[in-house]
Structure formats: C-alpha cells, structure tokens
Amino acid sequence: MFFKHKMKHDGKQGLNDQGFTIIEVLMALAIFAIGILAVAKMQLTSVNGNTSARKYTEASTWGVSEIENIMSTAYDDAALDDGTTGTVVQGIYTVNWTVTEAVPIPNVKQINIVVTWDNNKTFSATYYKAIAF
C-alpha cells in the first residue's frame, strides 16, 4: 500500500513514536498556571476597584443629599449664618459642611461640603446659595 508505514519492532524507539514527554507536560502546566494566576490577580483588582467606586458613589450621594437639605432652607435661616458648621454621620461616611459668605459676591453664601470615609478617602464639593428677591 502506498500510505502504509512500516515500523520496526526491535525494542528501540522509532522516530515515528507519538505522545508528550513529562517535561513537555510540566512546561505546559507551568505556563497554564502562570496564566491562571494572572487572571486571578486581574479579578481581585477588578473587585477592589468596584468596591472603591461604590464607596465613592455612596459618599457623593450622601453629600449631595445633605446639600439638598441645606439648600432647601431659607437664605436668612440661622442654619446658613456665616461660619455655621455641621456634621452628619451615615454609616462609614461622615458629612461635614461649612457656610461662609461668598466674598466678594454680595448676597451669596458659599457652602463647602466634605465627605470622609475609610479614614483617608474624601469627596468634596462647593455650592452657592443666593438670596431670592
């Protein structure tokens, strides 16, 4: 037959033997393990990033919610007197605000808000409230 190969069976390995050596298998497993470790590290980084983003979003939401409460008060209310400060604690978040006169703009108050969490993370914003004529 034209395509049939003849093999000698004299106890020696021929050049046509097929299969993988143990070294080849171990090298493939090592490369595969390195790839899996890289994917696991990437997954861990992704989870940490998502947690950080969630906390930042929650902090900004609490801060804006508190600003909305402050902005709903009347311009001449005692809560908006120059130098007034306030603090609200919501779970791990601490919301601090300070009211000052917006210099040099007359009839405008500046409200600075800072939300802190995890002892070193902050969200800050500045809002202005003008007198309604």
Side-chain angles (χ1 to χ4, degrees), residues 74-90:
Y75 180 84
D76 56 356
D77 191 283
L80 292 177
D81 286 345
D82 187 27
T84 303
T85 61
T87 301
V88 174
V89 177
Q90 302 280 348

Side-chain angles (χ1 to χ4, degrees), residues 16-17 82 84 89 94-95 97 114 133:
N16 290 333
D17 287 348
D82 187 27
T84 303
V89 177
T94 303
V95 182
W97 69 89
V114 178
F133 292 104

Side-chain angles (χ1 to χ4, degrees), residues 88-102:
V88 174
V89 177
Q90 302 280 348
I92 64 169
Y93 306 100
T94 303
V95 182
N96 296 303
W97 69 89
T98 305
V99 179
T100 57
E101 293 293 329

Side-chain angles (χ1 to χ4, degrees), residues 8 19 21 60 63 69 74 83 115 130:
K8 295 181 182 179
T21 65
S60 63
N69 290 337
V115 184

Side-chain angles (χ1 to χ4, degrees), residues 33-50:
I34 290 170
I36 291 296
L37 288 174
V39 169
K41 175 67 175 164
M42 201 168 48
Q43 184 69 20
L44 183 61
T45 302
S46 174
V47 168
N48 289 339
N50 287 341

